Amino acid sequence: MLRLTIREVSLAFREGRILPSELCQKCLDRIKKTRYLNAYITVTEEQAVAQAAAADERFRRGTPKGPLDGIPFAVKDNFCTENTETTCASKMLKGYRPPFSATVVQKLLDQGAVLLGKTNLDEFAMGSGSTDGAFGPVRNPWSYSTPYRDRSGLDPDSDWAITGGSSGGSAAAVASLSSFLALGSDTGGSTRNPAALCGVVGLKPTYGLVSRHGLIPLVNSMDVPGIMTRSVHDAATVLGVLQGQDAKDSTTIRPPMENFHLPDDIDVSKLRIGIPKEYHAPGLSQEILSQWSRVADILERAGARVEAVSLPHTQHSIVCYHVLCAAEVASNMARFDGLQYGHRSAEDSSTDALYAATRHEGFNGVVRGRILPGNYFLLKRSYQRYFLKAQQVRRLIAQDFAQVFSAGVDLLLTPTTLSHAPSHAHFIQEDNRTRSAQEDVFTQPVNMAGLPSPLCPLSLPALRSALPIGLQLIGAALQDRKLLAVAGWLERQVAFPRIQLPWDTEEEEEDGGGLVERGQRVL
């Protein structure tokens, strides 16, 4: 039952073969069973049970609210949730209960979706491994799968693969089958990176297509709410619900269409697929390279025209990204002073001492390490040399993409990460800044240009590591539906990963299959 897609579960609800309350309870049980993953910071069990019971009644009356009614979902803990603690995985926001919900959260609740809880992340979304939060690291569910245990030789109790970040908790929740969809945020790849490493579909929409209101900002000019699901069709369904202008977010734009219903099939022979030569980056693993070539060959055999293209300013992108990121982080983190909400130091000898002590105690070293250079880049004597120059390079990066698409290329096919998920012991050998530069190298140019990018996970049989990897598609602004249609076509050609944990029983497998054929803290 937990292995079904949103579309399959919604049909089962409508036909009366399962109740939302039954599915909700199975998800809550799954969360408890996979507590060792540390995917959730807060589990809203009481609230979820009440929401599911209300969904039961709507289906009994035959008046469901929509395709997401009764569907269990999770939310990254940097989205505000009314009267539910929102921490950004930081001591700074301990005990903070927002008086409102983020627009995207409220839209899901208005559709009747059932909120299971808030998921773990890197503190204030600053990281690429979900290892640097105040509540401890998130473990990749695939670390506990039988193939990985057999092939890696690692003991998952003492060493395990990371989830990627910063939306690692959301990716782990979907991958471990405790949630049918999860919201993440994507500033430099924070949805696509963990989606790739955990074997789920991850979607970074066009900037402005989905409201940022209520998403605690990291980099306002790049932040985008991300979507994680188990199928491309499910991601399209969720995007159709979340998209749209929001009076509370002036950066939102009118969507090109009301829904994102995907065609059952598309003619890929009419597509031109670009392979950016700059994405053959140093450190790219042979496994990623071979799968990249494999998928390109699949498209070419189907008649698509696959050709090399150039994005010449990509080599400067990661440096440019870190300058702009640090500058906006310094600005955004200035609001956390301990006076109105969140952590407040006992130091009260002076206002300046209170500010300094509160921020030192509340922020971890990673956050403080980005605020400091950010303030330097924004100094009058540094502004033109660093911040302004980075903005100029950002424009050139966006122009590179625009020129490729204006020349007739429909979409780009690129890697998402340099390799599969590294072990935790290996990952933490380097500092956060170095790790982020390595892990964001393929993903952050898309955020710099504001473009859409779905992530397609690849099947395990072809992978020697037995850990998932994923490739991303990149398209022109507002071409989200076209990209999702191609991703859906690839989903049918390349079997997406299906996790099997040692304690999953054959009975659970049969129950889910039969249904298809017929159709932490706890608050």
Side-chain angles (χ1 to χ4, degrees):
M1 184 183 301
L2 294 177
R3 297 181 182 278
L4 304 181
T5 65
I6 291 174
R7 177 163 55 174
E8 291 164 345
V9 168
S10 183
L11 177 61
F13 285 162
R14 293 172 187 273
E15 294 182 351
R17 292 183 274 115
I18 180 178
L19 291 174
S21 57
E22 295 173 335
L23 188 63
C24 173
Q25 191 57 56
K26 283 186 176 291
C27 287
L28 291 170
D29 292 343
R30 186 82 169 189
I31 290 173
K32 295 171 184 175
K33 210 168 189 178
T34 57
R35 195 183 301 272
Y36 57 87
L37 298 177
N38 202 27
Y40 291 82
I41 292 176
T42 301
V43 179
T44 54
E45 182 170 355
E46 184 177 337
Q47 176 182 337
V49 169
Q51 291 171 345
D56 285 353
E57 185 58 31
R58 288 192 293 273
F59 279 102
R60 287 193 185 101
R61 296 197 307 263
T63 57
K65 290 185 175 182
L68 299 182
D69 200 351
I71 300 297
F73 75 102
V75 176
K76 187 177 180 179
D77 203 27
N78 60 345
F79 287 89
C80 290
T81 44
E82 184 177 4
N83 296 325
T84 299
E85 190 171 14
T86 300
T87 69
C88 287
S90 175
K91 294 178 182 178
M92 181 61 80
L93 284 178
K94 182 180 180 180
Y96 174 57
R97 295 175 182 271
F100 67 98
S101 290
T103 296
V104 287
V105 174
Q106 193 58 53
K107 283 189 172 185
L108 292 175
L109 294 174
D110 291 344
Q111 279 275 312
V114 175
L115 177 60
L116 297 172
K118 308 295 291 293
T119 57
N120 205 348
L121 64 149
D122 289 296
E123 183 163 333
F124 281 101
M126 298 184 202
S128 57
S130 298
T131 59
D132 292 313
F135 299 97
V138 187
R139 300 185 177 203
N140 193 320
W142 289 96
S143 302
Y144 302 87
S145 67
T146 301
Y148 177 69
R149 280 178 151 178
D150 292 345
R151 296 188 206 176
S152 68
L154 296 176
D155 179 0
D157 294 328
S158 59
D159 197 11
W160 31 270
I162 64 163
T163 57
S166 62
S167 307
S170 292
V174 175
S176 64
L177 312 180
S178 67
S179 179
F180 282 78
L181 75 97
L183 295 180
S185 60
D186 197 311
T187 305
S190 286
T191 292
R192 288 160 291 151
N193 175 292
L197 300 188
C198 291
V200 299
V201 175
L203 172 63
K204 180 251 175 223
T206 296
Y207 183 84
L209 190 60
V210 177
S211 173
R212 293 183 296 110
H213 173 69
L215 168 60
I216 296 175
L218 175 61
V219 182
N220 304 66
S221 66
M222 299 184 208
D223 292 343
V224 177
I227 297 167
M228 294 187 187
T229 60
R230 298 176 201 159
S231 77
V232 174
H233 183 278
D234 287 353
T237 298
V238 176
L239 180 58
V241 169
L242 298 184
Q243 67 171 354
Q245 287 183 297
D246 181 8
K248 298 175 182 177
D249 179 1
S250 62
T251 65
T252 51
I253 55 180
R254 186 182 299 276
M257 57 189 66
E258 290 302 316
N259 63 68
F260 276 80
H261 177 73
L262 299 183
D264 292 332
D265 203 3
I266 61 169
D267 185 3
V268 297
S269 66
K270 297 180 180 179
L271 297 178
R272 287 179 62 188
I273 313 293
I275 305 294
K277 62 181 183 180
E278 290 80 8
Y279 280 57
H280 289 268
L284 183 65
S285 73
Q286 185 58 45
E287 187 169 51
I288 298 285
L289 181 59
S290 65
Q291 295 305 314
W292 187 15
S293 299
R294 173 189 169 218
V295 173
D297 289 343
I298 291 173
L299 288 162
E300 196 165 33
R301 286 197 299 270
R305 180 178 170 185
V306 179
E307 58 190 74
V309 298
S310 179
L311 301 169
H313 293 93
T314 296
Q315 59 181 317
H316 308 298
S317 186
I318 192 67
V319 175
C320 175
Y321 170 78
H322 279 297
V323 170
L324 297 176
C325 178
E328 292 202 42
V329 163
S331 176
N332 282 323
M333 295 298 108
R335 73 191 69 190
F336 300 108
D337 53 21
L339 295 184
Q340 299 183 64
Y341 48 78
H343 175 72
R344 181 171 184 168
S345 175
E347 171 62 60
D348 59 359
S349 59
S350 69
T351 302
D352 286 345
L354 171 64
Y355 284 173
T358 293
R359 290 166 68 80
H360 180 79
E361 295 166 7
F363 292 139
N364 69 5
V366 172
V367 177
R368 296 197 302 270
R370 295 202 189 189
I371 291 173
L372 185 61
N375 283 328
Y376 176 76
F377 295 145
L378 293 174
L379 290 174
K380 183 178 181 180
R381 66 175 181 268
S382 305
Y383 186 81
Q384 287 192 340
R385 183 178 180 183
Y386 295 103
F387 184 76
L388 186 59
K389 186 173 292 185
Q391 290 283 36
Q392 293 169 340
V393 174
R394 178 180 182 176
R395 181 181 294 274
L396 295 175
I397 292 167
Q399 288 176 352
D400 284 348
F401 283 109
Q403 289 173 3
V404 167
F405 295 130
S406 64
V409 171
D410 293 287
L411 58 93
L412 305 175
L413 175 70
T414 80
T416 309
T417 57
L418 287 168
S419 67
H420 58 71
S423 69
H424 176 254
H426 176 75
F427 185 75
I428 62 174
Q429 288 177 1
E430 295 179 298
D431 64 277
N432 178 281
R433 172 66 182 271
T434 301
R435 298 194 304 259
S436 296
Q438 293 169 340
E439 297 301 322
D440 294 344
V441 65
F442 296 131
T443 52
Q444 45 75 32
V446 171
N447 297 82
M448 303 270 277
L451 304 177
S453 178
L455 178 284
C456 303
L458 299 182
S459 59
L460 291 177
L463 306 180
R464 295 185 298 275
S465 65
L467 285 172
I469 61 172
L471 300 178
Q472 64 177 343
L473 304 176
I474 303 172
L478 298 177
Q479 293 299 307
D480 303 63
R481 183 178 182 275
K482 177 190 286 187
L483 290 174
L484 286 166
V486 176
W489 182 88
L490 283 175
E491 184 178 38
R492 293 187 290 273
Q493 311 305 312
V494 182
F496 281 11
R498 290 172 59 86
I499 196 167
Q500 180 71 36
L501 298 176
W503 43 264
D504 283 337
T505 66
E506 293 183 3
E507 181 180 348
E508 287 175 330
E509 283 288 307
E510 292 172 0
D511 179 43
L515 191 56
V516 174
E517 291 172 6
R518 295 190 301 272
Q520 340 244 27
R521 292 187 307 278
V522 179
L523 296 183

